[in-house]
Amino acid sequence: MTPPPRALVTGASAGIGRLYAQHLARTGHALVLVARRADRLEELAASLREAHGVDVEVLPADLASDGGVQRVVDRLRADPLVDLLVNNAGYAVRGRVAELDADATDAMLRVNVLALTRLSIAAMGRMVAAGRGRIINVASGTVFMQMPGNAGYGASKNYVMAFTRTMQAEAAGTGVQVQLLIPGVIATDFHEIAGNAIANFPPERVMSAEDLVVASLRALEMDEQVCIPSLPDTADWDAYVDAEKELVVNVSRDRPAARYHA
């Protein structure tokens, strides 16, 4: 009997990660759930086992710590049945650069950047060797914005975007799918934790976490590498990429542009 596909989801105890776990369980995936709060993971695991009869493993880990990241890296490397990694864990520390809490920003970058990188390396290495697998890396719509007070978080998600797009280029022809997910404002407790409130956003700009996850998983089925769930026309993303290509032509020349010559 062929074992069911297995997905490892980070940040699984609440919000977007919890919805990924629920939808993947509903479609028959076994799960490895990662988050700091073991009690929340156990509650979710019990409900998923009862509702869907799937195998659910709880893996408590603080992805801001080296030890926590290593636990998840070891789990990814040890299990060839994990064929989907959802790199969802992340949070925002906000404030103007001159006033940022440096230690809090460092901890955020450990989760948003370093943990995602190390888990991607572990998963990509094993999946490429196996010739199959799927990775979803969650960025943010703020990658397209320069908002005062958002330098640290926005930059961390720009890293996710750049890192993931290069992963996609390297994954070509290997049998591994890599999705870059770029959510907008999502109705979770993310904003309250970051010191904002979902009520501060116009309702027409706020998407449910369920709709986001459904779009992401559908995009995976469609082999759509970049999923911006509320984007009406993917030609807008293509135009963004084409604009980059125009810059590439002139970003490295043998002399400065004419305007720099007095």
Side-chain angles (χ1 to χ4, degrees):
M1 182 176 176
T2 304
R6 189 182 303 275
L8 188 148
V9 182
T10 68
S13 63
I16 294 169
R18 187 179 184 94
L19 265 294
Y20 267 114
Q22 290 172 347
H23 277 272
L24 290 167
R26 195 174 299 148
T27 56
H29 285 72
L31 294 166
V32 181
L33 305 180
V34 177
R36 288 183 304 160
R37 292 281 301 274
D39 56 340
R40 290 188 181 182
L41 291 178
E42 293 289 0
E43 174 270 321
L44 175 59
S47 69
L48 295 177
R49 293 184 194 112
E50 181 178 356
H52 306 292
V54 295
D55 177 52
V56 184
E57 176 186 340
V58 167
L59 181 59
D62 181 358
L63 295 184
S65 71
D66 290 343
V69 173
Q70 192 60 50
R71 289 190 69 194
V72 185
V73 165
D74 292 344
R75 184 68 185 78
L76 282 168
R77 287 177 173 161
D79 188 353
L81 295 180
V82 175
D83 78 337
L84 171 60
L85 166 64
V86 182
N87 261 322
N88 163 71
Y91 66 98
V93 171
R94 291 200 167 103
R96 291 177 176 269
V97 173
E99 302 160 1
L100 269 174
D101 181 322
D103 291 337
T105 302
D106 181 82
M108 177 192 69
L109 294 175
R110 286 177 176 274
V111 176
N112 294 8
V113 173
L114 298 182
L116 178 138
T117 300
R118 290 180 63 187
L119 301 191
S120 294
I121 290 169
M124 191 82 162
R126 188 177 53 71
M127 290 176 180
V128 168
R132 63 179 181 84
R134 299 164 294 163
I135 299 170
I136 298 172
N137 285 343
V138 181
S140 163
T142 62
V143 296
F144 304 121
M145 309 170 195
Q146 293 75 47
M147 299 184 298
N150 198 54
Y153 176 71
S156 75
K157 292 303 184 177
N158 268 280
Y159 175 91
V160 172
M161 181 167 75
F163 187 78
T164 304
R165 291 176 68 192
T166 302
M167 286 176 65
Q168 291 170 341
E170 294 176 357
T174 68
V176 179
Q177 276 182 281
V178 181
Q179 180 188 108
L180 170 64
L181 175 62
I182 306 180
V185 181
I186 307 300
T188 69
D189 62 359
F190 172 92
H191 303 282
E192 281 71 17
I193 294 170
N196 201 342
I198 203 72
N200 292 334
F201 297 94
E204 65 272 15
R205 288 189 56 209
V206 180
M207 182 179 290
S208 73
E210 181 158 4
D211 282 348
L212 172 76
V213 169
V214 169
S216 168
L217 295 176
R218 178 71 181 117
L220 205 61
E221 294 172 357
M222 296 165 63
D223 198 22
E224 191 175 286
Q225 288 193 322
V226 179
C227 177
I228 307 175
S230 57
L231 186 69
D233 190 345
T234 57
D236 291 342
W237 171 261
D238 296 337
Y240 180 86
V241 174
D242 288 342
E244 287 182 324
K245 291 176 181 176
E246 290 297 318
L247 288 172
V248 167
V249 172
N250 288 306
V251 77
S252 182
R253 296 284 194 180
D254 62 349
R255 64 191 63 194
R259 68 181 177 280
Y260 296 119
H261 297 279

